[in-house]
Structures are given as C-alpha cells and as structure tokens.
Amino acid sequence: MTQPSPYKSTGGLLRIARALGYSLQGLGAAWRHEAAFRQETALAVILIPLGLWLGDTALERLLLAGMLVLVLVVELINSAIEALADAISTDHHPLLGRAKDIGSAAVLLTLLLTGAAWAAVLAPRWWPS
C-alpha cells in the first residue's frame, strides 16, 4: 500500500488560500517568461470587452469572451509542458520535441476555434444570408 504524499494538503480554507497563491504565482511566471502569453493576454484585454459589447445575447457574449479565456488556458498548459520538457533536458530529444509540438498544436487549434466562433457569431450581421 502506498503512503499518502506529504506534498498534498488535506483541505480546508488554508488549502484554498494556498491554491490561490500558487495559481497567482503561475500567472506571474507565465507573464514574466512567456512572450506568447503576454501577446495573447494583450489581445484578450482588447477583444474581451469588444466581445461583451458585440454579443447580442448572454450566450454570444459568453462565447466571444470565453473563447479568448480558453486560448489563455491552453497557452498556460502549453507553457507548462515546455517548461517541464526544458527542465528534463535542453538537449534535442524526439519525445520532448513531440510534446512541445503537440502543446503548440493545441494552442493553434484553440486559436482557429476562437476565430471560427467569432466569425459564426459576427459574420451573419455583416453578410446576411
């Protein structure tokens, strides 16, 4: 039988406070070390209010703004994969390279999905069928 990890907390308000602190540290690290995260955040700062303004319904506003938040989430996961891969080795390794490429592909697909969602919501207003 395995022992419980000494690094896992048991719960309570202190766990929630620590988790928030770790999350804020992660956001700060992404901001400091990841140019793509800074660029996507700058874009989100502009486009989220625009999406909230352009959306006619609550669902449209949620879709337009939420897709931008999803881009940031996937970028954070990609950055975590890249940092972990670099911590393992900065030498060329095919599996580490594959992991980085797959993380990058996830960001690309999320960006394409975001563009498609924005087009699906906004295009009918300018090009009615």
Side-chain angles (χ1 to χ4, degrees):
M1 186 167 259
T2 61
Q3 296 277 335
S5 170
Y7 301 106
K8 295 296 277 181
S9 65
T10 57
L13 291 177
L14 182 58
R15 185 202 66 78
I16 293 170
R18 285 184 178 153
L20 176 62
Y22 299 142
S23 297
L24 294 175
Q25 285 178 11
L27 287 170
W31 181 261
R32 283 188 307 279
H33 302 288
E34 301 296 332
F37 182 76
R38 290 190 301 273
Q39 293 164 349
E40 291 159 354
T41 299
L43 196 59
V45 164
I46 295 165
L47 291 179
I48 287 174
L50 185 63
L52 295 174
W53 180 65
L54 290 173
D56 283 341
T57 66
L59 187 58
E60 285 182 355
R61 289 188 289 275
L62 177 65
L63 181 64
L64 295 175
M67 290 306 302
L68 296 162
V69 173
L70 182 61
V71 168
L72 296 176
V73 168
V74 175
E75 183 61 50
L76 287 169
I77 294 168
N78 180 48
S79 296
I81 291 168
E82 289 179 349
L84 186 58
D86 289 345
I88 293 169
S89 175
T90 55
D91 294 336
H92 175 73
H93 187 285
L95 291 177
L96 293 177
R98 185 189 312 168
K100 289 180 167 188
D101 291 347
I102 290 170
S104 181
V107 174
L108 174 64
L109 291 178
T110 307
L111 288 167
L112 293 172
L113 180 61
T114 299
W118 276 67
V121 170
L122 299 177
R125 296 179 192 175
W126 291 299
W127 299 285
S129 53

